[in-house]
């Protein structure tokens, strides 16, 4: 893995960032993800129980998928308690965050994680909110995805 490269996919709704972990060795990287719960409200409001927000729960399940991807690629996912994403992710109300340390990450893993996370998250939100959305086939650019989600918010936010 290129230890100096950071991989990012972010817009106003979501953040997925994989960056080298300075305190680690063996090609260690930090996986930081976040969703803005407030921005997704037009899609989710009234479509779930108070304790089962589809957006935060979706991100939790995506984190489990990232762990499986790491293991399948010979890497080691490690749960961490310290906020290693501070300074990487913005600080604002409504952000739900997940983080993970991944050791022994092969060079192909960061892009594979990005390509997995976004469609999987949107699928989980769509299924649990009972929102009918035709997800884009190929991963769109972050600003194109933002427009797609904004259109869904306008459609379902009545």
């Amino acid at each position: 893995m290129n230890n100096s490269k950071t991989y990012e996919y972010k817009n106003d709704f979501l953040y997925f960032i994989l960056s080298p972990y300075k305190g680690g060795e063996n090609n260690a990287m930090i996986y930081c993800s976040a969703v803005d719960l407030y921005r997704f409200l037009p899609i989710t409001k009234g479509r779930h129980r108070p304790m089962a927000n589809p957006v935060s729960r979706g991100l939790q399940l995506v984190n489990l998928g990232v762990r499986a991807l790491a293991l399948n690629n010979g890497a080691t996912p490690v749960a961490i308690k310290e906020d290693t994403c501070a300074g990487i992710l913005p600080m604002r109300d409504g952000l739900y965050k997940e983080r993970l340390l991944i050791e022994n990450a092969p060079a192909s893993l960061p892009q594979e994680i990005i390509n997995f996370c976004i469609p999987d998250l949107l699928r989980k939100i769509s299924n649990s909110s009972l929102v009918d959305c035709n997800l884009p086939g190929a991963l769109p650019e972050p600003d194109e995805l933002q427009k797609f989600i904004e259109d869904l918010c306008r459609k379902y936010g009545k």
Side-chain angles (χ1 to χ4, degrees):
M1 181 177 131
N2 181 350
N3 281 335
S4 62
K5 187 170 182 182
T6 296
Y7 296 79
E8 294 184 347
Y9 190 98
K10 58 185 181 178
N11 60 35
D12 291 344
F13 287 86
L14 50 84
Y15 299 83
F16 289 93
I17 301 170
L18 295 111
S19 60
Y21 182 54
K22 308 290 189 243
E25 49 189 66
N26 298 332
N27 292 329
M29 58 189 264
I30 276 295
Y31 160 80
C32 299
S33 61
V35 287
D36 188 323
L37 299 175
Y38 297 151
R39 295 289 306 231
F40 277 100
L41 270 179
I43 296 172
T44 61
K45 189 175 182 181
R47 293 183 173 87
H48 63 87
R49 292 186 225 169
M51 296 303 289
N53 184 300
V55 180
S56 59
R57 184 67 181 139
L59 193 60
Q60 291 168 352
L61 294 172
V62 167
N63 185 306
L64 294 176
V66 169
R67 291 168 187 260
L69 268 175
L71 289 169
N72 288 338
N73 281 277
T76 306
V78 179
I80 49 176
K81 291 186 181 189
E82 78 246 29
D83 190 3
T84 52
C85 297
I88 296 173
L89 294 174
M91 296 296 293
R92 68 176 189 241
D93 289 341
L95 275 189
Y96 177 80
K97 303 174 192 175
E98 288 283 329
R99 59 189 170 267
L100 184 65
L101 173 64
I102 302 173
E103 296 176 333
N104 300 315
S108 61
L109 187 59
Q111 192 59 52
E112 189 174 343
I113 288 173
I114 296 287
N115 291 338
F116 163 79
C117 288
I118 290 84
D120 194 51
L121 175 65
L122 293 176
R123 203 170 14 261
K124 287 175 182 357
I125 293 169
S126 173
N127 290 342
S128 61
S129 297
L130 303 175
V131 170
D132 182 27
C133 68
N134 294 321
L135 300 174
L139 184 63
E141 292 297 316
D143 58 333
E144 294 170 20
L145 181 68
Q146 178 166 322
K147 183 180 177 336
F148 175 80
I149 298 171
E150 286 171 343
D151 290 345
L152 287 175
C153 287
R154 276 190 290 282
K155 180 178 178 180
Y156 291 101
K158 298 176 180 168

